[in-house]
Amino acid sequence: MPFSVSWHTLLEHLDELPADATLITPLSHSRIHITDIQEHRVIVQFDESSEKRPLQRDQFESLYHQIQTAHDGFDLDRLPPDADPYPAVLSVHPRFEIDEDAGVIAETDGPTTTQLADTAHEPDTDDDRTEPDGLDIYSDGLLLIDALERHDVTDLPELETATLVNLYTLLSDVQRDANDFRQEVADVLLSRLHHDRPVAGQYGSVQRTSRRNRSLKDDEKVLSMLEAEGIDRERVMSVDRQKVDEALEVTTLTESDVYEIDESEYVRKAEVDDDVKESRLQGLKDRLAASEETEAEELQQEIEALEDRIDDLTSFRAGTEVQG
């Protein structure tokens, strides 16, 4: 099939997209919108930028031929820099599909999926928020927000000691919860990031990086290999802290004789009263629920009043009824 046929099929399907349709690029997972469809190019705009970018027909044709000649789909990592939007837009074509797990875009005869964002499950307003089950950071975060709202934390020395203790405890709990949850999120993200390409979100961006850790092999093996290269053992031998501590126990030396000691004081959380936290948390949830019910009732009353007024203005009444 010539590319011109596939190109016009793509343009037709792009024309049918809703005005607010959002596409997700496969490598950086950026969100883009189609702003204009022309005979020789497609104009897109990234969510995080007001700049519009033209995607040229000849670049789509080049990608098309790369896919045609690839055995099991075109490897997305082979895309040139800034070419991430092309496969996302091409996936709107009913015969092209992106497999993010395999990292390829391929042509297929069967039903395909596109890179369209699933907005059906995305909350449109704050009214759609629901409490996540079993997530400690949500509960502790709610308690911390309540404490921050009730106290002037811009002047900590003026706060009572009990208030400072509560703030420190909640901050410590949130820090622990956030770190645990952050690691869970990172584990999932790791499988979706490719070759140090930054992935942007609404609040920032992340990228895949590598860390290199080293640990020495067996002592005798290391020393033997170094000696074979003319390095004396004494040059690489160091004092072992554990062995020094064991020696202090059987000598008259004191700790300060062999250690430089620098003491500092710090605050450490001793215990957490989970019953009090749970009671306070339930009170906050009840208060939020009552607030939402009140707002909903007021809104319903306003709607009913507006409906009555519209009915008065639009309903037909006989002249005698009006005069009466």
Side-chain angles (χ1 to χ4, degrees):
M1 180 183 298
F3 173 71
S4 59
V5 176
S6 294
W7 173 248
H8 286 98
T9 300
L10 174 62
L11 296 186
E12 290 173 4
H13 281 78
L14 291 175
D15 276 328
E16 294 172 358
L17 291 179
D20 59 348
T22 300
L23 293 166
I24 308 296
T25 62
L27 294 179
S28 65
H29 289 88
S30 299
R31 302 168 72 89
I32 59 175
H33 302 275
I34 308 295
T35 62
D36 194 12
I37 301 168
Q38 303 173 9
E39 180 59 30
H40 295 288
R41 64 180 185 174
V42 176
I43 312 297
V44 301
Q45 182 175 353
F46 286 79
D47 262 12
E48 62 268 19
S49 171
S50 59
E51 181 182 358
K52 297 180 179 179
R53 282 186 52 192
L55 304 181
Q56 304 295 341
R57 169 182 165 150
D58 59 349
Q59 296 298 320
F60 280 102
E61 185 172 6
S62 176
L63 177 59
Y64 171 84
H65 290 305
Q66 293 280 0
I67 297 171
Q68 293 284 314
T69 57
H71 179 60
D72 293 316
F74 176 73
D75 189 349
L76 294 170
D77 287 332
R78 294 174 54 197
L79 286 172
D82 301 326
D84 207 11
Y86 283 90
V89 175
L90 185 57
S91 74
V92 177
H93 190 291
R95 291 177 60 88
F96 292 92
E97 184 174 34
I98 291 174
D99 183 345
E100 289 203 35
D101 292 334
V104 299
I105 179 171
E107 187 174 9
T108 178
D109 294 328
T112 63
T113 59
T114 71
Q115 292 298 104
L116 279 173
D118 184 7
T119 57
H121 298 91
E122 294 182 2
D124 295 327
T125 65
D126 291 344
D127 295 335
D128 294 325
R129 291 178 179 173
T130 56
E131 178 185 349
D133 295 331
L135 200 59
D136 292 338
I137 189 173
Y138 180 86
S139 299
D140 288 333
L142 187 59
L143 289 169
L144 177 60
I145 291 172
D146 175 64
L148 294 175
E149 290 176 343
R150 289 188 295 109
H151 303 287
D152 181 11
V153 295
T154 60
D155 192 6
L156 293 178
E158 292 298 317
L159 297 180
E160 297 181 357
T161 301
T163 300
L164 292 172
V165 170
N166 288 339
L167 284 172
Y168 186 89
T169 301
L170 291 172
L171 287 166
S172 178
D173 289 344
V174 169
Q175 181 187 36
R176 180 201 61 223
D177 299 337
N179 190 59
D180 292 342
F181 190 48
R182 180 183 65 87
Q183 188 57 55
E184 293 179 17
V185 173
D187 291 341
V188 177
L189 266 178
L190 193 60
S191 65
R192 303 184 183 181
L193 304 180
H194 302 274
H195 300 290
D196 295 335
R197 290 177 182 261
V199 176
Q202 182 180 1
Y203 303 115
S205 62
V206 297
Q207 68 181 59
R208 184 173 189 146
T209 59
S210 60
R211 183 184 297 113
R212 185 168 179 262
N213 295 321
R214 301 188 308 165
S215 60
L216 284 171
K217 298 180 179 180
D218 178 74
D219 290 354
E220 283 302 321
K221 183 176 182 178
V222 173
L223 292 173
S224 297
M225 295 184 69
L226 292 175
E227 284 181 330
E229 297 294 325
I231 305 296
D232 293 335
R233 290 185 172 224
E234 289 73 13
R235 290 186 57 183
V236 295
M237 297 294 286
S238 62
V239 178
D240 189 306
R241 288 180 55 135
Q242 181 179 353
K243 294 180 179 179
V244 169
D245 290 339
E246 293 173 354
L248 286 178
E249 296 178 359
V250 296
T251 66
T252 59
L253 294 173
T254 65
E255 188 180 31
S256 59
D257 290 331
V258 293
Y259 283 104
E260 293 289 346
I261 301 175
D262 182 20
E263 294 187 359
S264 60
E265 297 181 346
Y266 64 96
V267 175
R268 184 174 64 184
K269 182 177 63 178
E271 62 180 353
V272 177
D273 195 325
D274 291 324
D275 291 338
V276 173
K277 284 178 60 177
E278 183 61 33
S279 175
R280 179 62 183 168
L281 181 62
Q282 188 58 50
L284 288 173
K285 292 178 180 178
D286 293 342
R287 192 173 71 189
L288 287 173
S291 176
E292 292 173 357
E293 291 174 0
T294 301
E295 291 176 358
E297 184 177 350
E298 292 176 351
L299 179 60
Q300 183 62 35
Q301 292 175 353
E302 292 177 3
I303 292 174
E304 291 175 355
L306 181 60
E307 290 175 342
D308 291 341
R309 179 162 178 76
I310 292 174
D311 185 60
D312 290 339
L313 294 174
T314 58
S315 60
F316 173 78
R317 288 181 296 176
T320 55
E321 181 182 349
V322 174
Q323 293 175 358

